[in-house]
Amino acid sequence: MRTVEFHGVQGTEDEVARRLFGLPNALVSAPCYMLLLQGAGRAEARIYRRAEEEDLGSVRVWTGEDLGTLPDRLTRMALSETPLPITAFDEALLELGAFEDLGLVPRPVTARGAFGHPLRHYTGELRAYVLAAGLPPAQGGTSLTAAAGNGVRPRWEAHVVAGPRRHVAAWLFALPREVVARERYALLLEGSDGAEIHAAERAEDGKVSMRVARMARLDAALARLPYGADVEELWSWWPATFAFTASPPALAPATPRAAFGLPLDSLDGDVVRAAVLCL
């Protein structure tokens, strides 16, 4: 089974660049990957598709003013209960309008090589999204450890993956430790027997308070992901919409494995959908 992974981040151009350059190089070796950027009054989308010759790839580019609701739509597609083909993501981006075909270019071997040039057009705060489709489980989410960015903390970031349980577990555990060191983070999971939100909030003494809500599917919980919206709205909207059970403050987990291992084990199913949102 081939998988899809999706990353979103908002912050200054330096914070966003550090996150994108820290993504695993295996991601830009995918048969198809996409970059979306949204700044003040400028937006663009790039589709990279690997050619039959491993050293070359085709590039198509759209530029405009606003990505609209496309990032939210791509998130839902990445978390689709039924794995979607690469062409489905292609078609979603093409709805933006006409793309310019830049022809065949040398295939970048690193995330920095893939994303560095497009980022030069943006200053100030921006949002960026990267989607890779067609990754086999052995490669998807190889390691995001390098994405820690030396303590750089964007306004928010999201990491989304769907696929075989073993792959999703390895992908979650490879997230940078900084993810669970944020003041607030949430893990959204869905298996064959239901879905859960695990929302963590760090207190001044360093301990973490955890709230857990259970539901049939994740779709309703994903209704207000903060792609351009106020992140505070989401954090208050979940408790007002779903019944959460709170646990007493406890020692903060030191690693994503410690934070996400037990929640993942509590759900059944060979295929799992997962999203991590950090505020």
Side-chain angles (χ1 to χ4, degrees):
M1 177 180 178
R2 303 180 82 81
T3 60
V4 169
E5 62 179 83
F6 187 54
H7 308 273
V9 60
Q10 179 173 348
T12 66
E13 72 270 21
D14 179 63
E15 292 167 344
V16 169
R18 286 175 181 266
R19 279 294 187 267
L20 294 189
F21 297 166
L23 290 173
N25 294 334
L27 185 149
V28 296
S29 296
C32 181
Y33 62 93
M34 304 167 188
L35 170 68
L36 292 83
L37 296 170
Q38 176 73 68
R42 176 187 169 93
E44 69 182 271
R46 291 175 175 251
I47 302 174
Y48 301 78
R49 185 177 293 278
R50 193 171 62 204
E52 293 183 2
E53 298 181 41
E54 291 289 326
D55 293 335
L56 296 174
S58 64
V59 180
R60 289 178 291 170
V61 180
W62 168 89
T63 57
E65 295 182 357
D66 197 339
L67 293 173
T69 60
L70 180 61
D72 177 70
R73 182 179 174 190
L74 291 176
T75 303
R76 298 170 195 277
M77 291 173 66
L79 285 172
S80 173
E81 196 168 358
T82 302
L84 297 176
I86 295 174
T87 52
F89 298 95
D90 255 352
E91 292 168 0
L93 264 69
L94 292 175
E95 291 178 8
L96 286 169
F99 275 67
E100 179 185 2
D101 190 345
L102 301 185
L104 293 176
V105 299
R107 181 178 64 83
V109 296
T110 66
R112 179 184 291 269
F115 307 136
H117 179 72
L119 282 172
R120 294 175 185 173
H121 298 291
Y122 296 85
T123 58
E125 187 158 305
L126 71 148
R127 290 180 280 136
Y129 311 90
V130 175
L131 184 146
L135 289 164
Q139 291 184 358
T142 301
S143 175
L144 291 173
T145 306
N150 297 323
V152 171
R153 295 187 177 184
R155 179 179 172 190
W156 61 260
E157 59 184 297
H159 305 282
V160 175
V161 68
R165 172 185 289 272
R166 185 174 63 177
H167 163 59
V168 170
W171 189 93
L172 286 173
F173 299 162
L175 287 171
R177 290 179 179 231
E178 185 186 322
V179 164
V180 295
R182 299 291 290 262
E183 292 182 7
R184 288 177 289 184
Y185 64 87
L187 170 67
L188 290 78
L189 287 173
E190 181 178 315
S192 61
D193 58 341
E196 299 177 348
I197 301 175
H198 295 256
E201 189 156 4
R202 185 181 295 269
E204 292 184 0
D205 61 3
K207 291 187 177 181
V208 168
S209 298
M210 183 69 67
R211 296 176 297 165
V212 180
R214 293 177 173 81
M215 60 212 69
R217 291 289 180 264
L218 281 180
D219 302 279
L222 296 171
R224 296 191 185 182
L225 284 181
Y227 292 157
D230 186 346
V231 292
E232 301 295 336
E233 178 184 342
L234 177 69
W235 207 258
S236 59
W237 179 73
W238 276 341
T241 307
F242 306 104
F244 276 80
T245 301
S247 300
L251 292 176
T255 65
R257 179 184 292 271
F260 305 145
L262 287 177
L264 188 61
D265 287 343
S266 70
L267 294 177
D268 291 332
D270 295 329
V271 176
V272 177
R273 304 197 290 166
V276 176
L277 177 64
C278 307
L279 308 180

